């Protein structure tokens, strides 16, 4: 039950707690076009106990759009940098800042961004935060710099959820987008799978086996309060929130076989969606951002493939044709791309389809990939894979060039899902 692929075992067959470890980030690959940026160590950042500049630099590098350049010394937002010196270091953009402890115990975090090429001051920000929010302040600076230099929103202040397994316990965790500052949402001796964020980021839906069967729960992230949403006869699995947050698409076997239903979040009777022919299994639903279309996995054609259908009802269209086994669809928020997992021989690999052209490319060279999930700006994908004898989390850019490995110590990590904007 640990791997979602095992939950699809019937579908495939028909076709033929310790303390949480801190993450560290390893970035590999070279992007085609990157902005060389220097982030100088913030003045007095050690007073807050968080390496603000290092967090900002790692965030920007992980996006694939920036290349970090070493910045010796300590400068702050009041400094007047000598642009010729920084241009000599092949720097296009420069971030300077400071951390100051206030009388009330909070910290004033400031930064300024410079366009080194033009020699222009691009402005900055000031945030007064408690010590526990210093990392969040660094993520917000990263988002602001990202937006100023690319014109697009950053995702560094968002969160991810994932499940760890260790010492016979399963733990659902919520962490910063870089994997740090993890907090436990639920711990259980039984498997927890398929976490899904609500559109407002305030709730998580997931499947827990704590009652010895698959049951869908909904839990408030802030308070930890939770309730059963689907505990019908048979299996209840694969929750996916509608974009308006009013309902969840689920896979239920209450009427025999595994079929798709829409379940109101407020409660009530679920409505059945697609009807698989000849006992076909339909599972792993995923909404498009406009809420009009549902992608899902079905073996109605003889093997597991990805299909789509109108949520309001209508004909079902097959989407994947390359390979005999394609599962775990994730639609990018901008509606342009579909990420999924394909089986090629004995290898499970992350794939990306351009939905307009139907062009498909493999994004990884690993062989046990699972559970892709897009960042809310559609620029990155988080997924699970196996490396070094451990289950680990990775992020990748859409061209597969820049990958980030989030490593934990002693725990297997799976089932990642990227949260929405806002906290």
């Amino acid at each position: 039950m640990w791997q979602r692929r095992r939950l699809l075992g019937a579908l495939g067959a028909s076709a033929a707690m310790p303390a949480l470890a801190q993450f560290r980030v390893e970035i590999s690959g070279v992007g085609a076009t990157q902005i060389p940026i220097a982030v100088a160590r913030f003045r007095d950042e050690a007073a807050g106990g968080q390496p603000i500049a290092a967090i900002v630099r790692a965030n920007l590098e992980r996006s694939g759009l920036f290349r970090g350049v070493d910045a010796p010394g300590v400068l702050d937002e009041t400094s007047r940098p000598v642009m010729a010196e920084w241009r000599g270091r092949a720097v296009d953009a420069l971030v300077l800042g400071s951390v100051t402890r206030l009388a009330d115990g909070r910290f004033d975090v400031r930064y300024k961004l410079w366009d080194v090429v033009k020699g222009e001051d691009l402005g900055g920000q000031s945030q007064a935060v408690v010590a526990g929010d210093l990392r969040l302040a660094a993520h917000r600076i990263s988002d602001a710099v990202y937006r100023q230099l690319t014109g697009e929103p950053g995702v560094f202040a968002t969160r991810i959820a994932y499940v760890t397994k260790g010492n016979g316990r399963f733990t659902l965790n919520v962490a910063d987008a870089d994997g740090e500052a993890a907090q436990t949402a639920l711990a259980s001796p039984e498997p927890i799978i398929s976490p899904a964020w609500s559109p407002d980021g305030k709730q998580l839906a997931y499947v827990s086996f704590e009652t010895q069967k698959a049951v869908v729960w909904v839990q408030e992230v802030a308070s930890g309060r939770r309730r059963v949403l689907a505990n019908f006869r048979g299996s209840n699995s694969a929750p996916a929130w509608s974009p308006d947050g009013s309902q969840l698409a689920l896979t239920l076997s209450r009427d025999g076989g595994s079929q798709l239903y829409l379940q109101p979040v407020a409660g009530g009777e679920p409505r059945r969606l697609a009807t698989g022919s000849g006992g076909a299994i339909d599972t792993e639903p995923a909404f498009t951002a406009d809420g009009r279309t549902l992608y899902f996995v079905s073996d109605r054609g003889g093997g597991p493939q990805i299909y789509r259908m109108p949520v309001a009802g209508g004909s079902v269209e097959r989407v994947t044709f390359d390979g005999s086994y394609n599962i775990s669809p994730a639609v990018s928020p901008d509606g342009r791309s579909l990420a999924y997992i394909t089986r090629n021989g004995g290898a499970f690999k992350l794939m990306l389809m351009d939905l307009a052209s139907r062009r498909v490319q493999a994004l990884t060279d690993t062989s046990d990939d699972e559970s892709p999930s897009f960042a809310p700006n559609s620029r990155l994908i988080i997924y699970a894979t196996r490396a070094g004898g451990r289950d680990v989390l990775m992020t990748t850019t859409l061209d597969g060039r820049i990958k980030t490995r989030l490593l934990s110590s002693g725990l297997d990590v799976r089932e990642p899902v990227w949260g929405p904007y806002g906290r």
Side-chain angles (χ1 to χ4, degrees):
M1 297 298 184
W2 169 229
Q3 295 172 331
R4 180 182 296 183
R5 190 165 64 243
R6 296 179 184 174
L7 189 64
L8 293 172
L11 187 152
S14 66
M17 189 73 196
L20 284 176
Q22 286 292 297
F23 284 78
R24 69 182 189 273
V25 176
E26 292 181 356
I27 299 173
S28 61
V30 178
T33 303
Q34 296 176 310
I35 299 172
I37 189 168
V39 184
R41 185 161 60 88
F42 281 31
R43 176 176 54 78
D44 296 332
E45 66 176 23
Q50 291 289 348
I52 303 295
I55 294 170
V56 173
R57 174 172 171 165
N59 282 340
L60 296 173
E61 289 180 335
R62 191 168 60 256
S63 75
L65 300 182
F66 296 87
R67 176 174 56 82
V69 179
D70 289 340
V74 178
L75 300 171
D76 65 22
E77 73 283 355
T78 66
S79 301
R80 183 75 185 184
V82 179
M83 295 302 166
E85 293 181 3
W86 290 100
R87 283 193 287 267
R89 296 178 181 274
V91 170
D92 285 0
L94 175 64
V95 179
L96 309 175
S98 65
V99 179
T100 304
R101 188 179 182 89
L102 302 175
D104 62 4
R106 294 182 301 163
F107 291 88
D108 182 20
V109 184
R110 298 174 179 244
Y111 88 94
K112 181 173 286 187
L113 175 65
W114 289 89
D115 182 332
V116 175
V117 176
K118 296 181 180 179
E120 293 181 356
D121 174 355
L122 299 182
Q125 289 180 349
S126 172
Q127 306 174 62
V129 300
V130 298
D133 285 340
L134 280 168
R135 296 197 82 260
L136 178 57
H139 293 320
R140 287 172 175 165
I141 291 172
S142 306
D143 283 339
V145 170
Y146 185 96
R147 181 183 281 276
Q148 285 176 283
L149 295 179
T150 70
E152 299 179 355
V155 295
F156 310 114
T158 61
R159 293 176 293 180
I160 60 173
Y162 57 88
V163 179
T164 60
K165 179 186 178 184
N167 295 339
R169 292 188 66 79
F170 297 82
T171 306
L172 174 63
N173 305 293
V174 174
D176 290 353
D178 60 359
E180 293 278 4
Q183 296 183 335
T184 297
L186 179 69
S188 173
E190 302 299 330
I192 305 166
I193 63 172
S194 304
W197 286 95
S198 63
D200 61 7
K202 295 180 179 179
Q203 301 180 86
L204 281 168
Y206 53 85
V207 177
S208 172
F209 288 80
E210 62 198 75
T211 60
Q212 308 305 309
K213 63 172 290 190
V215 176
V216 176
W217 294 73
V218 172
Q219 179 168 328
E220 294 179 4
V221 176
S223 68
R225 288 192 296 265
R226 65 187 192 127
R227 61 186 174 90
V228 171
L229 183 74
N231 186 17
F232 300 103
R233 180 176 61 87
S235 178
N236 310 266
S237 63
W241 292 84
S242 63
D244 65 4
S246 67
Q247 52 192 348
L248 284 164
L250 306 170
T251 300
L252 306 177
S253 62
R254 59 181 234 164
D255 298 321
S258 295
Q259 302 295 329
L260 297 178
Y261 292 78
L262 284 179
Q263 171 69 50
V265 174
E269 188 67 12
R271 174 172 68 87
R272 188 166 176 173
L273 290 173
T275 302
S277 59
I281 295 172
D282 295 338
T283 188
E284 290 199 312
F287 283 94
T288 53
D290 60 11
R292 297 178 180 177
T293 303
L294 198 70
Y295 285 73
F296 63 98
V297 176
S298 178
D299 64 352
R300 63 184 60 205
Q305 297 290 345
I306 297 171
Y307 295 78
R308 64 184 176 192
M309 65 171 294
V311 174
S315 59
V316 174
E317 176 190 5
R318 182 170 167 177
V319 177
T320 54
F321 291 89
D322 295 340
S324 61
Y325 188 103
N326 296 296
I327 62 172
S328 301
V331 188
S332 62
D334 63 12
R336 297 178 180 177
S337 305
L338 176 73
Y340 61 96
I341 302 298
T342 190
R343 185 176 68 189
N344 185 356
F348 293 84
K349 302 186 73 65
L350 173 63
M351 310 295 290
L352 186 72
M353 176 186 291
D354 180 280
L355 288 172
S357 65
R358 296 297 178 95
R359 176 177 172 270
V360 175
Q361 62 174 322
L363 297 183
T364 67
D365 56 8
T366 44
S367 60
D368 199 12
D369 305 336
E370 288 188 5
S371 307
S373 177
F374 279 93
N377 68 354
S378 302
R379 284 285 193 172
L380 293 168
I381 299 171
I382 192 169
Y383 63 102
T385 192
R386 191 161 181 84
R390 283 289 181 192
D391 295 330
V392 300
L393 300 187
M394 301 281 292
T395 65
T396 180
T397 52
L398 301 194
D399 58 8
R401 291 176 179 264
I402 302 294
K403 293 184 175 63
T404 302
R405 179 174 172 180
L406 305 178
L407 295 170
S408 66
S409 174
L411 297 173
D412 287 322
V413 192
R414 303 298 274 197
E415 304 281 339
V417 60
W418 210 312
Y421 289 117
R423 297 183 66 151

